Structures are given as structure tokens and as C-alpha cells.
Amino acid sequence: MTSTTPLHGDHQLDQLAGQFAHWRQTRTHPYERIPHELWDHAVALAAVLPPSRVAKQVRVRLQYSVNPKKSKVAGP
């Protein structure tokens, strides 16, 4: 991700939230792991936007932190 402006980050966050919503509607199992592509995009956005905001908008728990500053971000 090459976003440097807040508006661009906001737009990408809205798009990512839509992708998460689509994945949730089409997944085959209720507890299926989040696809790595979605997770990686969320982590990248959390580098330019507040991690708590990214987590809230894509509807993941902060304990599954998308905070790129934490050393133990192993994925969903």
C-alpha cells in the first residue's frame, strides 16, 4: 500500500470493510480464518490509520491486533 493521505486511507478502509463483509457472507465455515490478503491489507492500513479504527471498521477484535507496531502480529 502506498497511501500517504488520510482521505486515501479512509477510502481504502471503506473498501477493505466491504471486502471483509463480502468474505463473511461467502465463507464456507463460520470460524474460517481470515484470508491472508485481507489481513495483510488491514495491517498495512493500520500503519497509516489508528489500529483501533481499522479493527473496528473491519470488525475484528483488537486482541487479534492489526497494529503493525506489535511484534507478535502473526495473523488472524
Side-chain angles (χ1 to χ4, degrees):
M1 188 177 93
T2 60
S3 174
T4 56
T5 64
L7 275 178
H8 190 90
D10 289 342
H11 177 70
Q12 287 189 337
L13 182 55
D14 288 340
Q15 287 184 329
L16 182 62
Q19 292 171 352
F20 265 85
H22 176 73
W23 166 73
R24 284 187 177 97
Q25 292 172 353
T26 59
R27 64 186 169 185
T28 55
H29 301 291
Y31 297 103
E32 187 175 308
R33 290 173 84 71
I34 297 170
H36 287 287
E37 302 82 33
L38 292 179
W39 188 256
D40 291 344
H41 195 174
V43 171
L45 277 175
V48 295
L49 297 172
S52 59
R53 182 168 168 222
V54 174
K56 183 176 181 178
Q57 189 139 357
V58 299
R59 296 176 39 218
V60 296
R61 292 182 186 161
L62 207 50
Q63 74 186 40
Y64 302 121
S65 180
V66 293
N67 188 345
K69 295 178 184 173
K70 290 192 175 188
S71 60
K72 294 188 177 184
V73 176

